Amino acid sequence: MLRRLSVRGKILAALAVPVLVLFAAAAIISAQAIGTARDASQTSALVAALAAQDAAGTEIAAERTYSFLDANSTRDTAEEAEAQMMAQREKTDRALDARDRAYERLNTSALDPRVRKAMADTIGDRSELVGVRQAIDRSGLGQLQRNSLYGDLIDAALDVPRTLADTTPDRSLAQYLDTYVLLDELLAQQALEQPLAGAVLQAAQAGQQSDTTNQQAAVLITTGNSLAGRTRAAVRQLPGEFRLETPTATYNQIRENLIGSRPAATPPSQAAQWPTLSQEDRDQTAPVRDAVRTETAEKASDLAAAATTRAVITILVTLAAVVASILVAGFIARAIVNPLRRLTDAAEDVRAQLPKLVAHGAAGPRRGPSGGGGAGGGG
């Protein structure tokens, strides 16, 4: 096929190879830039939707508390405890509906498949919640079973930001997400400690303490202290002024008594403060969690904007490089072809003039025989 091309065509064909290679490389680079921008944009949208998850998590934690109180209710308080639990279920359902709608509206096609699976699993856990409620209503599960089942659902919902933190390419964003998850875990822990430890303290003050429940409270508070320590350290490591304050001395002393399985060592005046002190602990943790989530959303939004800008610049630069390479190839081809064309034209002129030159030479005057030869013959 190349044999049929003119000299100019062959030169242009040779120069087209690097241009095509450059075009293919530009297409790949542009596609990668667009993919990065889509990933960052979808990450930003998902982080913004975590506010709905927090609202749902707060409500389901409250449902766990009312379920615990229902399990510990007496004959006199059973009806009221059950009514409070049922009312909280309606609040939980509304919050979960809002969370699910927020998740379902998101486009997560550019995110890691594990993130999409975590979101689908979280939405699918609604059926697990229905099963837990039915089990409570049918058989009256004990408080430990209730706490465990609700705890599993609360923790599973945090798999979405956990997985996002594990898969995001920006490690500074991952640090914010990891800290946010720790704060959410701490809030869930505090919500569980408040009624359970309160019940243990109340029983100890009444002289009705149990070694089993004392040990359960000791394990729970020990776990809470460890989680609080890790969370405070993570918050301190974040840029900015984020701080998770240390609880009061009275609150810490009550917790130490619970850890030592000595709830009765807590003075009645301190034991009476437990509901207030534990609520204050939650109240000072929640704003930090919300602030970290807001900062995480802003950082994700900034990363998305920067990725989009880089994608646009990358596409423009690659297009300019392709256009420039085409222009350079055309210039080189012209620089080579034009002299060849002039040589070709000159050769054509010579070939056209050659017969005339030959004919002109053949028709020129010839010289005769030498005159001296005739005289010699006469002698």
Side-chain angles (χ1 to χ4, degrees), residues 43-319:
T43 297
S44 175
L46 177 54
V47 171
L50 293 177
Q53 167 56 44
D54 286 342
T58 299
E59 296 301 337
I60 197 170
E63 181 176 330
R64 177 178 60 180
T65 298
Y66 283 114
S67 178
F68 173 84
L69 296 175
D70 174 69
N72 283 348
S73 63
T74 63
R75 183 172 299 178
D76 295 334
T77 61
E79 184 176 351
E80 181 182 0
E82 183 179 4
Q84 290 176 333
M85 181 179 66
M86 293 300 181
Q88 181 57 43
R89 287 181 181 181
E90 294 180 0
K91 293 181 181 179
T92 301
D93 286 339
R94 288 195 294 271
L96 289 174
D97 288 341
R99 190 275 313 275
D100 292 349
R101 287 194 298 269
Y103 277 178
E104 289 168 350
R105 284 196 297 264
L106 295 176
N107 178 9
T108 57
S109 59
L111 298 181
D112 191 283
R114 288 170 290 179
V115 176
R116 297 198 293 272
K117 182 180 184 302
M119 293 177 63
D121 290 345
T122 298
I123 295 173
D125 281 344
R126 291 292 294 274
S127 61
E128 296 291 333
L129 177 59
V130 172
V132 171
R133 291 171 173 175
Q134 291 175 346
I136 291 172
D137 296 340
R138 283 197 308 264
S139 59
L141 295 176
Q143 64 176 22
L144 291 181
Q145 289 177 295
R146 297 185 185 198
N147 288 339
S148 177
L149 292 172
Y150 276 110
D152 290 343
L153 291 172
I154 293 171
D155 187 67
L158 294 177
D159 283 343
V160 173
R162 281 195 198 102
T163 308
L164 186 61
D166 290 340
T167 57
T168 182
D170 190 278
R171 301 322 300 165
S172 61
L173 178 62
Q175 180 185 5
Y176 277 92
L177 286 167
D178 286 335
T179 305
Y180 161 77
V181 170
L182 282 173
L183 286 162
D184 254 340
E185 291 175 347
L186 181 58
L187 281 168
Q189 174 73 17
Q190 293 167 340
L192 180 60
E193 290 177 359
Q194 189 173 22
L196 195 150
V200 170
L201 290 168
Q202 187 176 6
Q205 295 300 315
Q208 300 173 351
Q209 60 181 333
S210 162
D211 290 342
T212 301
T213 55
N214 287 351
Q215 291 172 1
Q216 292 169 355
V219 172
L220 179 66
I221 301 301
T222 300
T223 302
N225 281 358
S226 175
L227 177 58
R230 289 187 286 116
T231 304
R232 287 191 183 90
V235 170
R236 282 196 303 269
Q237 291 172 4
L238 289 178
E241 301 297 327
F242 298 109
R243 290 293 181 271
L244 193 61
E245 300 298 333
T246 303
T248 63
T250 300
Y251 186 55
N252 282 334
Q253 183 58 56
I254 298 173
R255 296 178 71 87
E256 289 300 320
N257 292 338
L258 291 167
I259 290 173
S261 296
R262 297 176 287 103
T266 304
S269 60
Q270 291 185 358
Q273 295 181 55
W274 171 261
T276 301
L277 293 174
S278 59
Q279 185 61 46
E280 289 176 353
D281 196 20
R282 293 181 63 190
D283 289 345
Q284 71 99 12
T285 302
V288 178
R289 187 274 312 273
D290 294 344
V292 170
R293 185 192 65 233
T294 300
E295 185 66 22
T296 305
E298 291 177 357
K299 186 172 184 60
S301 178
D302 291 343
L303 290 172
T308 301
T309 301
R310 285 195 302 271
V312 172
I313 293 174
T314 300
I315 292 172
L316 292 177
V317 170
T318 52
L319 285 176

